[in-house]
Amino acid sequence: HLLLLSGGGSPRIISICAGLLDQTDRYIRITESYRQGPLLQAPFMKALADAVLARDEKRSLDCLRSCIYKTASTVTAAL
């Protein structure tokens, strides 16, 4: 994630996202026993990277939105 964000050149955005990724890692650890399937795997990450490298904003946002909703659903179910 940070590698993709670093292309934007905003230290503030990179710092904020680094903090969010730390929190996400904590939530993933908390919800491991509640998860009913694997974490997003390589195909998703490749699709996101391909979209970003192609500068396809819509596809990039769709990939990120999907990841965020999946994570939110897992966290919500664990609460």
Side-chain angles (χ1 to χ4, degrees), residues 1-68:
H1 290 94
L2 291 177
L3 181 61
L4 294 171
L5 289 168
S6 67
S10 171
R12 179 174 283 186
I13 295 287
I14 293 168
S15 176
I16 290 168
C17 289
L20 291 172
L21 287 171
D22 285 343
Q23 293 302 313
T24 299
D25 185 54
R26 290 180 185 161
Y27 286 124
I28 288 171
R29 292 179 193 284
I30 291 168
T31 62
E32 281 180 334
S33 63
Y34 297 95
R35 190 172 43 247
Q36 296 185 5
L39 288 173
L40 296 173
Q41 298 295 325
F44 167 81
M45 298 308 286
K46 181 172 181 350
L48 176 58
D50 289 346
V52 169
L53 292 173
R55 298 194 181 274
D56 185 334
E57 183 178 343
K58 182 184 180 326
R59 195 165 41 122
S60 298
L61 291 173
D62 288 344
C63 287
L64 284 173
R65 190 174 294 112
S66 174
C67 178
I68 290 167

